[in-house]
Amino acid sequence: MSFINYSSREINCKIVYYGPGLCGKTTNLQYIYNKTNPETKGKLISLSTETDRTLFFDFLPLSLGEIRGFKTRFHLYTVPGQVFYDASRKLILKGVDGVVFVADSQVERMEANMESLENLRVNLGEQGYDFNRIPAVVQYNKRDLPNAVSVDELRNVLNPRSVPEYQAVAPTGVGVFDTLKAVAKLVLTELKKGG
Amino acid sequence: MPKAHLTFGIHVENPCAAQLDCRSPEGNHFPMSTQLVMYEEEFTKINSVCDRLTKDANAKVVFLVDKNGQLISASGQTRNLDTTSLASLTAGNVAAMGGLAKLIGENEFPNQFHEGAKDSLYMTLVGTRVVLVVIFDNRTSLGLVRLRIKKASDELSKIFDSLVRKADGPGIGSPFAEITDADIDNLFSE
């Protein structure tokens, strides 16, 4: 949930990157962190295992600039993708303003994608959110891999709401900022409506 | 890649998640449509309670965090502290401990104490929504910190109650209602 502070003239929003294990959520944040101007970002926190699997969350605070004199800040979070970390995923969705669903384009990960999307729907519901209304973007990641499923097929099963969607290759940055901008824009548009 | 580390600027954020439970007339939840707003008057009062607590408890740092990880106020020796990361990790910790509490049949763990070699950390829940965190060293004692926190926590609770009432009152709209699509686009123009 966003927060507007009249006193310090700031607005802060929370975006969560969701998706199955090893789909590239952390890689998205790492790319954003590496390519962002130092003045506009905070430190990237990764609570991960010794094998670099996300244990609880990654966190990256970003400043996007000012709107009508209000500093606009986004807090980016990832969830742990592995199925057995579901309790942690629920916690991270608390107070979310926008969601990026990162799908793994590889054919053998289709079932994991679908399971994760359903898990997102359930967990949003448990936190009092409506899956069909929350600002969301879908990112089809790993488009460079030879076993990538066609975007049409991915869309059919992973984008039932027809939200904005982007093809990505997160390690090289393809689609990473497009995805971020799209979700940030949706969140701000929702704030505008909310007023 | 960096592991867990800290340091970034100070900002102030979302104090009210009581509204997470807002419902539409149809009975659906619409948490996105109700932003929480912090006003000058309450902000000043909150900062003054945190400043006083820092002095009274002889603490190094006092900060107030929304359970969603947004920093509301920071007082004391914050210059070299990454308060943004502290806020996020505090919320993560409180959320995880809350989950643990429920697993053993408790509603929450309202107080947590973490003892370090030099600095220690005490967290307490203020109302249902905010976490008050005190970092202190051996110039004070856990007993004194707990005593002072209790008083500050009661005061903060009242301020947040009045903030929620104010936000629910008439004539309070979001400043974002007036922004245009062009304003949003400008944010992303390079």
Side-chain angles (χ1 to χ4, degrees):
Chain A
M1 183 188 297
S2 58
F3 172 59
I4 300 167
N5 189 326
Y6 275 102
S7 189
S8 57
R9 301 197 69 76
E10 289 183 353
I11 171 114
N12 294 275
C13 306
K14 177 173 178 177
I15 290 172
V16 174
Y17 283 69
Y18 212 93
L22 295 175
C23 69
K25 302 174 290 294
T26 300
T27 311
N28 264 269
L29 255 63
Q30 285 169 336
Y31 186 83
I32 294 166
Y33 177 78
N34 289 332
K35 294 292 175 186
T36 315
N37 190 329
E39 291 93 62
T40 64
K41 68 184 174 191
K43 290 287 172 67
L44 173 62
I45 290 180
S46 288
L47 303 179
S48 50
T49 66
E50 285 181 3
T51 53
D52 272 341
R53 300 298 303 272
T54 303
L55 181 61
F56 196 1
F57 58 79
D58 304 301
F59 168 68
L60 176 62
L62 273 189
S63 292
L64 279 189
E66 291 197 358
I67 289 189
R68 302 258 172 133
F70 276 81
K71 278 175 254 164
T72 310
R73 286 203 165 101
F74 282 82
H75 288 180
L76 312 184
Y77 285 83
T78 66
V79 296
Q82 294 175 88
V83 175
F84 54 88
Y85 287 135
D86 196 40
S88 301
R89 277 195 293 278
K90 287 179 191 175
L91 299 177
I92 293 153
L93 282 176
K94 281 184 182 177
V96 66
D97 293 299
V99 175
V100 173
F101 184 80
V102 181
D104 188 329
S105 295
Q106 298 178 95
V107 62
E108 60 267 35
R109 296 300 286 162
M110 281 303 276
E111 205 174 317
N113 287 329
M114 289 156 70
E115 201 178 312
S116 179
L117 189 69
E118 184 54 27
N119 180 253
L120 172 62
R121 182 197 301 273
V122 170
N123 285 346
L124 280 173
E126 283 187 21
Q127 298 295 338
Y129 290 89
D130 183 348
F131 173 82
N132 292 311
R133 287 181 58 103
I134 192 159
V137 170
V138 177
Q139 181 188 80
Y140 306 121
N141 195 20
K142 308 195 186 185
R143 296 309 299 161
D144 58 329
L145 296 185
N147 51 348
V149 177
S150 77
V151 170
D152 281 345
E153 278 181 76
L154 288 164
R155 181 182 300 129
N156 279 341
V157 288
L158 302 176
N159 193 2
R161 287 175 56 194
S162 298
V163 297
E165 54 187 18
Y166 295 90
Q167 300 186 48
V169 183
T172 58
V174 175
V176 169
F177 277 98
D178 292 337
T179 306
L180 173 63
K181 283 180 185 177
V183 73
K185 216 167 159 176
L186 287 176
V187 167
L188 292 172
T189 306
E190 187 69 32
L191 279 180
K192 182 173 177 276
K193 280 195 234 157
Chain B
M1 197 195 91
K3 290 280 176 189
H5 37 194
L6 318 163
T7 317
F8 187 50
I10 295 176
H11 59 262
V12 187
E13 317 180 27
N14 191 358
C16 174
Q19 311 210 6
L20 260 181
D21 216 26
C22 290
R23 285 164 189 266
S24 74
E26 298 82 35
N28 296 320
H29 295 266
F30 292 128
M32 301 85 76
S33 62
T34 50
Q35 303 102 33
L36 234 312
V37 180
M38 174 69 79
Y39 300 99
E40 187 85 40
E41 183 189 351
E42 284 78 10
F43 190 49
T44 307
K45 282 184 188 168
I46 287 166
N47 285 338
S48 118
V49 172
C50 290
D51 285 343
R52 190 154 12 99
L53 176 59
T54 309
K55 285 196 197 103
D56 289 352
N58 210 12
K60 288 178 83 173
V61 180
V62 168
F63 61 101
L64 200 60
V65 180
D66 163 62
K67 270 191 179 176
N68 296 333
Q70 315 267 21
L71 181 70
I72 297 166
S73 177
S75 173
Q77 302 165 33
T78 56
R79 193 181 301 169
N80 295 317
L81 267 187
D82 179 353
T83 48
T84 304
S85 299
L86 273 170
S88 166
L89 290 171
T90 296
N93 175 63
V94 167
M97 291 309 292
L100 270 174
K102 286 189 177 64
L103 285 177
I104 64 163
E106 284 292 324
N107 189 33
E108 297 250 37
F109 292 125
N111 299 294
Q112 289 185 50
F113 172 53
H114 300 275
E115 188 174 12
K118 284 192 301 183
D119 291 348
S120 298
L121 195 149
Y122 196 94
M123 298 180 184
T124 195
L125 298 182
V126 177
T128 56
R129 173 74 225 204
V130 181
V131 189
L132 178 62
V133 185
V134 178
I135 300 172
F136 61 97
D137 59 19
N138 59 11
R139 289 174 300 169
T140 185
S141 67
L142 176 61
L144 180 67
V145 169
R146 289 183 73 144
L147 183 71
R148 301 301 189 207
I149 280 181
K150 176 76 180 69
K151 186 169 173 249
S153 172
D154 291 345
E155 286 177 42
L156 288 168
S157 214
K158 284 180 195 149
I159 298 170
F160 279 103
D161 284 348
S162 83
L163 196 60
V164 171
R165 280 196 301 274
K166 198 168 180 175
D168 287 342
I172 305 291
S174 162
F176 270 62
E178 291 167 18
I179 64 169
T180 61
D181 290 343
D183 286 331
I184 297 174
D185 284 335
N186 285 340
L187 203 56
F188 299 104
S189 59
E190 315 260 319

